[in-house]
Amino acid sequence: GGRGNNLPICPITSKNGNLYVTLAGGGMFVADTTTTPMKIIAEYGNQVVYGAGCGGIEVPNSNQMWINSGVSASGAGATQSMFAVWKFDDNLMKSPGINAENEPAPHLVFEDSNNTSTGGNLNGPSENTSGQLPGTTTRRDSHGMDITVNKKYMHVVDRIQNVMEVFETKAPFKRHTYSLVKFRKFRRGKYRIKPSGCMARSVGDDPGLPLNDPAPDLFEHTPDGKFLMVALRGPAPVSVGHAAQGSCPGVGIVKLKKNGKIGKLVDVLRTTNTVDDAPATAIGGHAYVGIERSDVHGAVVVLK
């Protein structure tokens, strides 16, 4: 496949000094950062690595680089649905000579069966017009990615469906899923379904805005491995408005369980911004009329 739009999206550097550069229209470059100038040592077409990947991380001490693909940030993404995850052997990137296109071949860990035929993908429907409102949309958008401290589980967020897909880092890469809008709580001899921490922290100045809609974005784990700190988008998203409208802008606290296999969103450190007055545009979402403009796009954990 070709590369219709080489706009870089999210570069990820491996321990070996290889820079994985995902591209807006699909495909990917891998560059050697140890040379001056940097040299492209591997290239992939968009039928091999789909577009708009913004999530990637190396499994420590394994030389395995994981990369994802999601919907386009441009207006074209409003009718796209994409969730795909690949794994690359980083040690093979600096093999003698110049690698042929699409080599070394990646391993496709997962792709959703309902992906649209966009971003280089040749299968599925050409569009998905179900918007982004929770409970009605069937669209997907793979975005942030992080690994647990025990190196056993790779967490990949779905920004539209409000779920976390968790993949075991050892073959056959079994998948587990947990919700960021609800969880089970055992009380008085039985399990009960409880809303996540987003519900109590949701914006309340527009009665029509769907509540308990985290719209999770980029995230990182805490050093002790007990939590994930997740950026949560707002009702007036500054970017990717067709896939990122949320109700509880801030930093979500996901408590991990079963050694990182599953988790639950227990609370939100709410942020607020009522100074900006930029128009609120969320294609396929709710026409928000309130004044909240906070819109957190990334969360980074700093150890001091």
Side-chain angles (χ1 to χ4, degrees):
R3 290 183 292 271
N5 182 352
N6 283 352
L7 177 70
I9 301 297
C10 291
I12 307 293
T13 305
S14 72
K15 185 177 179 180
N16 288 334
N18 296 328
L19 181 67
Y20 291 70
V21 184
T22 55
L23 305 173
M28 186 177 72
F29 293 122
V30 181
D32 184 357
T33 65
T34 66
T35 64
T36 304
M38 289 190 296
K39 178 176 63 176
I40 294 175
I41 56 176
E43 58 176 320
Y44 296 86
N46 62 7
Q47 294 178 22
V48 177
V49 179
Y50 309 148
C54 194
I57 193 166
E58 184 177 13
V59 179
N61 304 317
S62 75
N63 297 301
Q64 301 299 311
M65 178 65 77
W66 290 52
I67 298 290
N68 71 352
S69 288
V71 303
S72 172
S74 72
T79 57
Q80 293 179 1
S81 180
M82 178 58 62
F83 198 114
V85 179
W86 286 268
K87 180 179 69 70
F88 295 81
D89 189 332
D90 190 61
N91 274 343
L92 298 180
M93 290 298 173
K94 292 182 179 177
S95 300
I98 299 176
N99 290 322
E101 185 180 17
N102 301 325
E103 293 184 5
H107 174 84
L108 178 61
V109 176
F110 174 77
E111 65 175 328
D112 188 73
S113 60
N114 293 316
N115 283 343
T116 50
S117 55
T118 52
N121 179 33
L122 299 179
N123 302 312
S126 61
E127 63 179 8
N128 181 327
T129 60
S130 64
Q132 61 173 311
L133 290 175
T136 60
T137 181
T138 59
R139 294 172 62 222
R140 304 204 68 181
D141 180 23
S142 171
H143 207 57
M145 179 185 295
D146 199 11
I147 190 170
T148 54
V149 293
N150 61 13
K151 311 171 191 176
K152 291 183 177 181
Y153 300 105
M154 189 71 72
H155 290 239
V156 188
V157 81
D158 187 324
R159 191 160 48 182
I160 300 176
Q161 291 300 318
N162 289 321
V163 299
M164 192 77 77
E165 299 286 10
V166 183
F167 301 91
E168 297 180 9
T169 56
K170 299 291 186 180
F173 313 111
K174 187 176 179 180
R175 177 170 62 102
H176 313 273
T177 305
Y178 65 89
S179 171
L180 295 175
V181 300
K182 60 184 178 181
F183 59 87
R184 294 197 311 164
K185 184 176 182 178
F186 190 76
R187 186 181 182 187
R188 296 178 181 176
K190 64 175 64 175
Y191 281 103
R192 303 173 188 273
I193 302 300
K194 296 289 185 179
S196 77
C198 177
M199 175 65 84
R201 306 297 188 185
S202 288
V203 174
D205 64 355
D206 181 346
L209 180 71
L211 305 181
N212 197 19
D213 182 13
D217 213 288
L218 304 179
F219 63 98
E220 284 191 356
H221 63 264
T222 55
D224 60 9
K226 295 180 179 179
F227 301 92
L228 299 177
M229 307 304 287
V230 186
L232 303 181
R233 305 297 296 271
V238 176
S239 61
V240 201
H242 55 69
Q245 185 178 45
S247 69
C248 52
V251 178
I253 303 172
V254 173
K255 184 177 182 179
L256 296 177
K257 303 169 63 178
K258 297 185 177 180
N259 294 316
K261 181 178 178 180
I262 60 173
K264 61 180 180 180
L265 178 60
V266 294
D267 205 351
V268 177
L269 303 176
R270 270 282 273 118
T271 56
T272 188
N273 174 10
T274 58
V275 176
D276 291 343
D277 58 0
T281 302
I283 300 172
H286 173 68
Y288 177 64
V289 296
I291 62 173
E292 182 61 79
R293 292 297 183 271
S294 182
D295 184 40
V296 182
H297 200 144
V300 178
V301 177
V302 179
L303 181 62
K304 299 183 67 175

